[in-house]
Amino acid sequence: MNTTSNRKRRIGAVAILGLAASVAATGTGLAATPLPSSVRATAVTAAAASPRSFQGALPAPSGPYAAGEEVIHLTDESRPDPWVPSSGPRQLTVTMVYPAVPGTGTPAPYMTLGEAAGVLQRQKVPTGSSITPQNLAGVTTHAFDGARPQHGKHPLVVLSPAYENPRMMLTSLATELASHGYVVALVGHTYEDNGETLANGETPACVICDAPPGLDFKAVIASRARDVSFVIDQLTHGNSAWRLAHLIDKHRIGMAGHSLGGAATAATMTADPRVLAGVNMDGSFQPDLKPGQVNRPFLMLGVAASNHLAGGEWEPDWAALGGYKKWLTVTGADHFGFADLEVLQDEAGFPPRPLPAERGVEITREYVTAFFDQTLKGIHRPLLDGPSPNNPEVLFQH
């Protein structure tokens, strides 16, 4: 969640998979933030020269295990939905990704057709575009439905996406963690993105996107913290919520979030002592942390912009953190380089950025996994000790 005065208000409310207007006419390119006219012209020229159907694939995970996947639906009967109270109790869709036996299961879709249609509809993608709900839903994830789980107990890591981003945008990170022996819960925060398909098959649209008047982002962050604590409750009390809950070591729980999800990670750790380690990927802290609130391991991983360099907006929160902590920035990365978005844009033929999209995902996966290995599994990872010649883009701010 970027936090200059304007971007803080938006909290990363950049288009998820929208087409730039000029590129949309050709039906070939994916876009996110507005681009300079010279770059847009390049995209239009490239698109017109070589129209093609979009076929996306996320990077394959690097660990020894396969990634199994199962989608579950949870209802918190203790509270009404905060954004649409008339809909009844809070409903959540959660993708569980877990260590699995290679060669078992069938390829999992990236998202449902309803979720994919919601993304394209919100971003006004033309009907004749080469990006359809079918090929967006069919992006290769390297996760497998019905895969046979690995035996044993595994740490749980909960992932919370950016504002307006569906949970699927953190699939690359989820499959990587699962391949290294973690159970991962990707939480969809209903009515906060382009659509999460609920248990009844409906995919309601976003209600709080575009920062409607009167929206209090601190309330959104607090609501996400309640979502996450409820999910942890459900996953650590028997197997009724998820048939494979016996895989979870409930004494080793971590959380990572991107943008608004990063802010929610800090808020969750403040309220829920069960979360033993947290990662904030390019988000702010709202409200700022106070000394003593989070005395557990915390990783801050952001873009190498002034607000996330030493002395910037993260400095008071860094000082308030009381446990093992690291503050890293990634040169050349931009806000959405920590999730799947830019990989999909590259595969749609969009102009490259200073840091290649797959490289950004690789760095994110490597450092987040190393952090949880060290803090949840007790495995020392020298990668976190200081600068690495293999990762010159990564700067240690403290």
Side-chain angles (χ1 to χ4, degrees):
M1 180 168 53
N2 292 333
T3 53
T4 58
S5 59
N6 183 42
R7 298 182 77 184
K8 186 170 185 177
R9 172 66 178 158
R10 296 284 295 167
I11 312 189
V14 184
I16 297 169
L17 286 174
L19 296 175
S22 57
V23 181
T26 69
T28 58
L30 287 169
T33 53
L35 298 173
S37 58
S38 60
V39 176
R40 290 200 301 269
T42 302
V44 172
T45 301
S50 57
R52 58 190 173 89
S53 176
F54 170 71
Q55 293 181 327
L58 303 179
S62 67
Y65 306 129
E69 180 178 305
E70 186 169 350
V71 176
I72 62 175
H73 301 279
L74 305 175
T75 300
D76 185 353
E77 300 286 355
S78 70
R79 63 182 176 123
D81 189 275
W83 317 124
V84 186
S86 61
S87 67
R90 180 69 162 161
Q91 298 182 69
L92 299 172
T93 300
V94 181
T95 300
M96 302 302 303
V97 189
Y98 58 91
V101 176
T104 63
T106 57
Y110 190 41
M111 57 182 74
T112 68
L113 288 175
E115 289 162 344
V119 171
L120 301 185
Q121 181 179 10
R122 174 166 170 75
Q123 301 307 327
K124 299 179 175 60
V125 176
T127 303
S129 167
S130 67
I131 306 172
T132 66
Q134 288 76 17
N135 58 30
L136 181 55
V139 165
T140 300
T141 66
H142 305 284
F144 296 89
D145 283 331
R148 190 164 73 250
Q150 294 284 345
H151 294 299
K153 296 281 190 180
H154 309 279
L156 170 67
V157 175
V158 183
L159 298 181
S160 181
Y163 174 55
E164 293 193 9
N165 278 208
R167 69 191 190 281
M168 293 73 70
M169 283 293 152
L170 293 175
T171 297
S172 290
L173 179 56
T175 58
E176 178 72 3
L177 287 166
S179 79
H180 287 276
Y182 293 88
V183 173
V184 182
L186 272 166
V187 180
H189 302 282
T190 312
Y191 299 115
E192 297 179 25
D193 60 47
N194 296 277
E196 303 283 344
T197 300
L198 303 177
N200 63 3
E202 296 179 357
T203 308
C206 187
V207 170
I208 65 168
C209 291
D210 298 324
L215 180 66
D216 180 357
F217 279 113
K218 291 181 181 179
V220 181
I221 292 165
S223 176
R224 286 198 174 198
R226 288 192 288 273
D227 285 348
V228 171
S229 288
F230 169 70
V231 169
I232 292 172
D233 288 342
Q234 296 296 295
L235 293 176
T236 57
H237 290 89
N239 294 354
S240 60
W242 181 44
R243 65 185 182 88
L244 299 177
H246 62 275
L247 298 175
I248 295 172
D249 181 347
K250 64 182 180 180
H251 301 294
R252 293 187 292 169
I253 299 174
M255 180 179 174
H258 175 218
S259 192
L260 183 68
T265 298
T268 302
M269 292 186 71
T270 298
D272 194 331
R274 294 174 298 179
V275 181
L276 302 181
V279 181
N280 179 352
M281 297 181 290
D282 212 47
S284 69
F285 293 82
Q286 289 195 38
D288 283 330
L289 293 176
K290 296 178 180 178
Q293 285 185 317
V294 178
N295 291 326
R296 284 152 281 156
F298 205 93
L299 169 64
M300 304 189 320
L301 179 66
V303 300
S306 59
N307 58 328
H308 289 166
L309 299 178
E313 66 152 28
W314 273 355
E315 194 70 45
D317 302 287
W318 168 262
L321 289 167
Y324 172 83
K325 55 187 179 180
K326 293 293 177 179
W327 178 348
L328 311 180
T329 56
V330 185
T331 302
D334 64 24
H335 185 58
F336 285 98
F338 301 94
D340 297 348
L341 174 64
E342 292 183 1
V343 171
L344 300 178
Q345 290 176 336
D346 280 3
E347 291 169 345
F350 209 75
R353 293 166 179 75
L355 183 70
E358 287 214 19
R359 178 63 178 150
V361 167
E362 179 184 14
I363 288 171
T364 301
R365 287 170 145 190
E366 189 173 0
Y367 280 88
V368 172
T369 301
F371 176 77
F372 285 129
D373 281 352
Q374 187 148 313
T375 57
L376 296 181
K377 292 185 176 181
I379 302 171
H380 176 237
R381 295 301 187 198
L383 183 70
L384 298 173
D385 292 343
S388 166
N390 295 326
N391 298 311
E393 308 95 333
V394 179
L395 306 177
F396 283 65
Q397 296 300 318
H398 278 286

